Amino acid sequence: MGKKLIYYFSQSKCDGNAEMKNLLGSKGANLAEMCNIGIPVPSGFTLCTQVCKMYYNNDKLPDNLCGEIKNFMAILEEDAGCKFGDPNHPLLVSVRSGSIDSMPGMLDTILNVGLNDETVIGLAKKSNERFAYDSYCRFITMYSNVVLQLNHYLFQDILDSARCKNNVESLVDLDVSTLKQIINDFKNIVYENTGKHFPQNINEQLLSSITAVFSSWKNERAVSYRRIHNISEDLGTAVNIQTMVFGNLNNNSATGVIFTRNPSTGEKKCFGEFLLNAQGEDIVSGFYTPLPINNNTMGKLMPEVYEELYIICKKLEEYYKEMQDIEFTVQDGKLWILQTRSGKRTPEANIRIVVDMVNEKMITKNNGILKVDPNTLNSLLHPIFDIQCDKQVIGVGLPASPGIASGYVVFNTYNAEKAVKQGKQVILVRSETSPEDINGMNIASGIMTARGGMTSHAAVVTRGMGKPCICSVNGLHIDKNEGFFVLGEVKINKDDPITINGNTGEVILGILPTILPELSQEFETIMQWVDEIKTIKVLANADTPKDVEIAKKFGAEGIGLCRTEHMFFAHDRINLIQKLIIADSQDERVNALEELEKMQKSDFKEIFSMMVDKEITVRLLDPPLHEFLPNNKQSIKKVANLLGRSIEDIRSKVEQLSEQNPMLGHRGCRIAISYPEIYRMQIRAILSTVYDLRNEKNIVVKPEIMIPFVISEKELILICEMAREEARNFNNVQYSIGTMIELPRAALIADKLAKHAEFFSFGTNDLTQTTMGLSRDDSVSFLDTYKQAGIFENDPFVVLDVEGVGELMKIAVTKGRKSCPELKIGICGEHGADPKSIGFFINLGLQYVSCSAYRVPIAKLVAAHIALNQGHSKFSELTTN
Ligand code: ADP
Ligand code: MG
Ligand code: MG
């Protein structure tokens, strides 16, 4: 006896439940669960994902399956009180895909299976003729498209011209004789394009539909979607066969979609749309603009259904403890639920929903934290557009997915890809989007469409991606050749800059300037919960008082990396350091250093006073000196003038300092060994600031002085000695001194370095570069090739190379702590906020990660997830062996 491959669901007999997603797919599992809890769901049965795997392994459906399906159809017929293929009283079914992870619109579904020239007459007698032929039209279109692989435009064209000829808006308004004519035309199209007649055998229809839906697992757009969302190819889809209910029966029928909370803002209020006298796919296709569900629309038109729908929304949300996205159909005044799943929403909405649900006691704080995917925070933390600025609004549409995006106009995926490769941001402008556009939508910064409502494909997909979208832009006409669009009076060419505001629906001319985002109250609340849970400190990299302010705003617990050279790059200071580098005499050098010291001191004063009671790690000068010198004729001349030197002088100095491999050259603490006065000056500036703050303002800070690019114990000894000497001039100042570990040699001799250093900070950017012998600035060219060849799984500058670089870190931690047990160890560098790498750092026993200020909340959240899941985050698995 084989395993059970088919599971029945109905109000009275149900084999499955919500736990069985892996077997039944999420649609099938939720249909079963809804039956279990008494929600009105049309009966049906699910062919489980195993069948899909068998189908792909053997290139056909399992042998005994047909017989099994017949048995289940017999039960379904009994339930429905009518028979599949019965010319008088036909049962129709839908054949619906349903994968484990929701992939909205990517897989195929066929409605009205079981219609042929005979059964359509039976259906017409049972109800009404218009409805029966309307359904037959829909069936032929869908079946031809999905099973026979004919382009749906072939059919759309016939419908369009029929609508034109009869001067009506939609299918619903066509009369029966026109519909019959259309059906004839459709059949001819099928015959012309396939050489076969449209199948009249209903069992063939059913089996071919099932096979086609299984095949849709591997269609191009589904494969792309899985790649983008990291969904495994092996999972397969289930197929659900379900009794049809008809939203296109009459004007007391409808189809719709409802979210139990607002998917854009998170507001606790149902949010949905419906279409009268229509079938499910009408609403998602974006072709018709549906009505919003509210008191004035559905509440007036079908008050009882409206009330029942709200009760079901509440029940489902409380049951699943999650915002639901629900598909429903009303057949002649009776409400049926066809699908429920957790609703896709914007990152902002998610945060609000989570905090509300915790406050409503629907979920616990810890559950709430786990419901926020750290990867989605990015869009909330980056600079936002300044919408208050002067701007020219050129049009309005439905605000379908919030956020603002500026970019250059493209009309298709091909051009989007081309522009993005050139480093441009693009706005994808289309009449409507379909699953074929998924790649373009994925790389565009925003989407704008001429048609479709709040639950159209474009709206749903962009909300899931967390990117702005405007639908149904009034008066938007796209040129047939996709060279420009016209919006009201304005003509915008391809590659022209525009901005879309998905919060208001406004289309704006040009690119908007940006400002820092305000974080919502709910965001702050979640971060407070996160702080209670996480076990690692999260610091920020910040170089200027302004950076420090941002870091504090985003909740950094200290500054793990303050790069002093950035203070020199400011345009009013660069000349001083240039003077220093070019100086011939001791006098000149001392003079320049004095000036620089004053400036560093004033910076430190500002920064240190902002960081009272918090860690602040200052890194001494790191880049090679030539980076401060001018590099072209014009700027050489300018510098020569400013410093009162000859052009030749400057040029020769530039030449003298230039190196073949500056990244591996005279930089970091190597500079201090050649020119000790530079580090001495910096150390003095730090210590005297601490001294002054204490004496003048009674502010106590204890900065950590960090030495970059160390490879030997002796370097560290010399510099520590310098610091001790300088410190003698400042009675009782507190500071600590430590080293970066950013070169393999430093990691390997960590035990020796730890004798002199009070802390280690891994500089994983340089450590990756030097461990792998891979230039961070040049490696990009073959990175993709390496990924495709399976040599790299990730960009090692984004996700830590645990196998190699991680191993060196392990050695350094072990050796360092062995010789100095109280050694403080952390990491600064971009990996510090990478969700995939943080778990490794925590498990390695580091005390802190330090990352760019904008990524502090992400790092904190990942750390909290890891704390809650015993060392793992569902969103950020990184294999450590
Ligand atoms: P998707 O996964 O792309 O949403 P679905 O299987 O949910 O595909 O079906 C597409 C549309 O058809 C949905 O609007 C759905 O509600 C509708 N539909 C599916 N099955 C039935 C049915 N048995 N009766 C009426 N409408 C249906
Ligand atoms: Mg659906
Ligand atoms: Mg470095």
Side-chain angles (χ1 to χ4, degrees):
M1 235 206 55
K3 268 194 259 147
K4 186 172 167 63
L5 297 179
I6 307 186
Y7 293 75
Y8 197 74
F9 59 85
S10 76
Q11 299 286 327
S12 51
K13 167 180 165 10
C14 192
D15 303 335
N17 62 52
E19 302 297 298
M20 294 162 73
K21 290 209 167 74
N22 286 339
L23 209 54
L24 305 180
S26 78
K27 194 181 289 168
N30 285 331
L31 284 169
E33 191 70 44
M34 285 195 286
C35 288
N36 289 332
I37 61 171
I39 304 279
V41 170
S43 308
F45 55 89
T46 306
L47 311 184
C48 70
T49 49
Q50 292 299 332
V51 180
C52 188
K53 285 176 203 165
M54 291 160 140
Y55 171 69
Y56 280 108
N57 286 340
N58 309 322
D59 266 341
K60 63 181 174 74
L61 293 174
D63 292 332
N64 57 346
L65 194 74
C66 284
E68 278 287 286
I69 291 174
K70 279 219 172 89
N71 295 341
F72 275 86
M73 282 303 281
I75 308 175
L76 197 59
E77 286 170 339
E78 186 115 327
D79 240 340
C82 51
K83 279 199 153 48
F84 194 51
D86 183 341
N88 295 313
H89 208 40
L91 168 69
L92 303 190
V93 294
S94 60
V95 177
R96 315 175 66 186
S97 56
S99 51
I100 298 170
D101 300 282
S102 143
M103 300 169 51
M106 296 297 137
L107 304 177
D108 289 320
T109 278
I110 305 173
L111 304 182
N112 308 316
V113 176
L115 274 178
N116 59 22
D117 295 350
E118 281 187 354
T119 54
V120 72
I121 295 170
L123 192 66
K125 270 194 234 143
K126 191 166 112 180
S127 44
N128 73 66
E129 264 198 311
R130 190 214 57 82
F131 148 71
Y133 287 96
D134 173 281
S135 303
Y136 200 15
C137 275
R138 292 169 185 273
F139 174 53
I140 299 178
T141 312
M142 271 184 138
Y143 187 93
S144 303
N145 180 232
V146 175
V147 181
L148 308 175
Q149 305 269 308
L150 300 181
N151 194 323
H152 85 274
Y153 286 114
L154 292 172
F155 302 88
Q156 194 62 47
D157 284 349
I158 293 177
L159 284 179
D160 284 345
S161 60
R163 274 208 307 264
C164 259
K165 215 160 65 201
N166 293 279
N167 204 10
V168 297
E169 263 286 302
S170 76
L171 213 59
V172 179
D173 304 317
L174 293 172
D175 59 28
V176 173
S177 67
T178 314
L179 287 171
K180 285 182 177 167
Q181 185 53 51
I182 290 173
I183 287 165
N184 253 331
D185 293 348
F186 277 7
K187 286 189 192 152
N188 288 336
I189 293 268
V190 170
Y191 189 72
E192 280 163 25
N193 284 280
T194 64
K196 288 190 193 126
H197 291 291
F198 186 81
Q200 294 294 314
N201 180 327
I202 48 142
N203 290 316
E204 179 192 336
Q205 289 177 1
L206 181 61
L207 278 183
S208 305
S209 298
I210 292 171
T211 314
V213 173
F214 279 130
S215 304
S216 72
W217 175 254
K218 296 248 158 127
N219 72 29
E220 220 175 287
R221 57 184 203 234
V223 172
S224 299
Y225 186 92
R226 285 197 291 275
R227 197 175 18 111
I228 293 165
H229 291 86
N230 264 327
I231 299 173
S232 161
E233 281 298 298
D234 307 329
L235 298 173
T237 180
V239 170
N240 303 287
I241 288 119
Q242 188 176 26
T243 306
M244 278 301 297
V245 288
F246 301 102
N248 58 334
L249 185 64
N250 51 34
N251 278 326
N252 195 23
S253 303
T255 180
V257 176
I258 190 164
F259 291 82
T260 55
R261 304 195 182 213
N262 187 307
S264 298
T265 63
E267 189 190 357
K268 191 182 179 197
K269 201 171 156 203
C270 289
F271 176 89
E273 292 177 328
F274 73 114
L275 269 173
L276 281 182
N277 206 343
Q279 270 197 351
E281 78 279 17
D282 293 345
I283 210 161
V284 242
S285 74
F287 192 79
Y288 300 95
T289 304
L291 293 172
I293 298 177
N294 60 37
N295 291 337
N296 290 329
T297 56
M298 187 184 261
K300 293 234 166 82
L301 292 165
M302 20 181 89
E304 274 145 40
V305 167
Y306 182 59
E307 195 174 319
E308 191 186 356
L309 185 61
Y310 270 74
I311 292 171
I312 288 177
C313 280
K314 189 151 185 280
K315 184 166 174 180
L316 284 174
E317 184 179 278
E318 275 168 9
Y319 188 78
Y320 285 101
K321 303 193 185 315
E322 182 61 281
M323 187 261 261
Q324 296 294 298
D325 164 358
I326 298 164
E327 288 175 5
F328 65 90
T329 282
V330 182
Q331 174 177 319
D332 204 17
K334 158 98 180 107
L335 175 64
W336 295 95
I337 305 298
L338 289 165
Q339 185 171 354
T340 192
R341 59 185 163 202
S342 65
K344 297 231 187 274
R345 66 205 84 167
T346 62
E348 296 81 330
N350 187 48
I351 284 172
R352 172 148 179 205
I353 290 170
V354 163
V355 172
D356 283 352
M357 284 185 169
V358 171
N359 291 338
E360 289 158 30
K361 305 239 172 339
M362 196 186 276
I363 56 175
T364 64
K365 271 187 197 178
N366 289 354
N367 277 331
I369 290 172
L370 291 173
K371 278 180 192 284
V372 184
D373 176 348
N375 296 303
T376 60
L377 295 189
N378 227 336
S379 63
L380 303 181
L381 299 172
H382 273 277
I384 51 167
F385 290 101
D386 179 10
I387 39 170
Q388 310 299 1
C389 75
D390 262 345
K391 56 181 190 287
Q392 189 186 340
V393 176
I394 55 172
V396 236
L398 293 175
S401 175
I404 304 178
S406 281
Y408 299 89
V409 169
V410 293
F411 295 102
N412 53 48
T413 294
Y414 175 78
N415 285 327
E417 283 172 344
K418 224 166 79 181
V420 167
K421 269 210 184 102
Q422 293 164 7
K424 282 196 205 156
Q425 311 232 303
V426 298
I427 305 291
L428 180 64
V429 180
R430 293 195 61 74
S431 291
E432 70 250 319
T433 65
S434 76
E436 266 84 35
D437 299 318
I438 185 79
N439 279 326
M441 297 173 76
N442 187 42
I443 56 174
S445 303
I447 315 305
M448 170 163 106
T449 68
R451 289 197 286 233
M454 300 294 280
T455 49
S456 67
H457 178 266
V460 171
V461 173
T462 48
R463 279 201 295 269
M465 291 175 166
K467 65 177 64 171
C469 175
I470 306 181
C471 291
S472 278
V473 175
N474 290 328
L476 171 64
H477 294 288
I478 299 171
D479 157 46
K480 260 215 311 282
N481 299 320
E482 304 193 330
F484 61 89
F485 70 77
V486 176
L487 185 51
E489 310 275 271
V490 190
K491 179 178 162 196
I492 304 277
N493 289 317
K494 175 173 164 272
D495 297 330
D496 281 353
I498 62 163
T499 297
I500 58 167
N501 185 344
N503 309 320
T504 59
E506 286 168 325
V507 187
I508 300 156
L509 200 67
I511 306 258
L512 283 193
T514 58
I515 48 172
L516 268 190
E518 274 307 315
L519 300 175
S520 68
Q521 191 54 51
E522 288 87 1
F523 186 92
E524 305 283 357
T525 306
I526 296 236
M527 287 328 263
Q528 272 166 23
W529 299 343
V530 160
D531 283 340
E532 293 161 15
I533 293 290
K534 70 178 181 47
T535 57
I536 197 169
K537 271 199 173 170
V538 179
L539 315 181
N541 303 345
D543 302 339
T544 60
K546 183 153 183 264
D547 289 351
V548 174
E549 200 183 306
I550 300 173
K552 285 177 83 173
K553 175 170 168 158
F554 288 138
E557 293 160 283
I559 302 299
L561 174 64
C562 174
R563 285 167 286 219
T564 48
E565 59 269 16
H566 283 224
M567 301 172 179
F568 297 148
F569 277 116
H571 68 275
D572 53 332
R573 300 170 175 197
I574 182 109
N575 298 125
L576 281 174
I577 185 136
Q578 287 168 339
K579 204 159 139 192
L580 175 76
I581 297 168
I582 289 162
D584 286 332
S585 68
Q586 184 71 21
D587 270 3
E588 262 182 326
R589 191 170 298 134
V590 168
N591 180 279
L593 275 169
E594 269 171 12
E595 289 287 313
L596 280 170
E597 187 171 341
K598 271 188 222 149
M599 305 203 143
Q600 292 236 291
K601 231 181 123 170
S602 77
D603 283 337
F604 289 143
K605 205 163 195 167
E606 207 175 338
I607 291 177
F608 290 3
S609 355
M610 296 169 83
M611 298 303 295
V612 180
D613 294 332
K614 297 225 165 87
E615 289 160 62
I616 163 108
T617 310
V618 182
R619 184 182 70 185
L620 302 182
L621 190 68
D622 183 46
L625 291 180
H626 84 97
E627 277 195 19
F628 298 103
L629 290 180
N631 56 11
N632 62 45
K633 253 191 180 157
Q634 231 180 3
S635 44
I636 287 180
K637 196 168 154 198
K638 217 167 107 196
V639 170
N641 278 341
L642 255 165
L643 301 187
R645 309 288 291 250
S646 72
I647 294 182
E648 203 31 59
D649 249 15
I650 309 282
R651 201 195 329 258
S652 81
K653 196 72 196 180
V654 171
E655 234 159 63
Q656 190 193 326
L657 287 176
S658 88
E659 294 169 310
Q660 286 293 341
N661 281 312
M663 289 309 269
L664 302 177
H666 195 197
R667 59 173 284 208
C669 69
R670 295 167 193 180
I671 296 173
I673 306 300
S674 327
Y675 305 108
E677 61 274 18
I678 298 182
Y679 269 29
R680 276 185 187 273
M681 175 278 283
Q682 291 197 294
I683 293 170
R684 225 169 25 243
I686 295 169
L687 298 182
S688 63
T689 307
V690 177
Y691 184 84
D692 290 354
L693 282 176
R694 189 189 61 201
N695 292 349
E696 290 165 16
K697 299 198 178 163
N698 216 3
I699 293 177
V700 179
V701 275
K702 186 187 168 197
E704 312 192 350
I705 299 175
M706 183 156 77
I707 323 285
F709 232 61
V710 168
I711 44 168
S712 93
E713 189 181 358
K714 194 68 197 271
E715 288 168 329
L716 209 50
I717 292 174
L718 287 173
I719 295 165
C720 287
E721 181 52 31
M722 270 183 217
R724 263 193 301 275
E725 278 172 28
E726 294 300 331
R728 279 190 205 118
N729 299 321
F730 306 101
N731 201 6
N732 268 332
V733 288
Q734 300 219 349
Y735 69 97
S736 67
I737 196 156
T739 176
M740 293 198 65
I741 304 287
E742 53 184 337
L743 293 165
R745 191 175 200 280
L748 296 171
I749 61 158
D751 49 343
K752 302 208 171 77
L753 299 180
K755 286 193 278 177
H756 315 283
E758 286 159 88
F759 63 89
F760 282 177
S761 176
F762 286 103
T764 50
N765 301 341
D766 270 318
L767 192 59
T768 299
Q769 182 158 244
T770 50
T771 300
M772 303 182 94
L774 201 63
S775 158
R776 176 143 92 129
D777 306 311
D778 306 315
S779 62
V780 197
S781 62
F782 59 91
L783 191 71
D784 277 345
T785 322
Y786 260 52
K787 274 199 203 156
Q788 271 156 25
I791 300 170
F792 287 171
E793 196 183 330
N794 301 294
D795 178 345
F797 291 105
V798 176
V799 179
L800 190 88
D801 159 43
V802 166
E803 205 180 17
V805 179
E807 191 61 26
L808 275 173
M809 292 177 73
K810 259 188 219 164
I811 292 172
V813 169
T814 313
K815 286 191 151 189
R817 290 240 167 90
K818 199 161 169 206
S819 87
C820 174
E822 61 276 21
L823 186 71
K824 175 172 150 187
I825 310 181
I827 165 210
C828 58
E830 283 311 300
H831 298 100
D834 172 54
K836 286 191 173 146
S837 311
I838 293 178
F840 175 74
F841 300 140
I842 293 178
N843 293 332
L844 197 58
L846 303 195
Q847 280 114 318
Y848 71 86
V849 298
S850 184
C851 55
S852 97
Y854 295 105
R855 296 170 62 87
V856 164
I858 301 176
K860 282 186 165 185
L861 184 56
V862 175
H865 280 201
I866 289 167
L868 288 172
N869 288 330
Q870 286 115 31
H872 295 283
S873 165
K874 170 176 126 193
F875 296 110
S876 53
E877 291 294 303
L878 185 68
T879 38
T880 45
N881 45 15

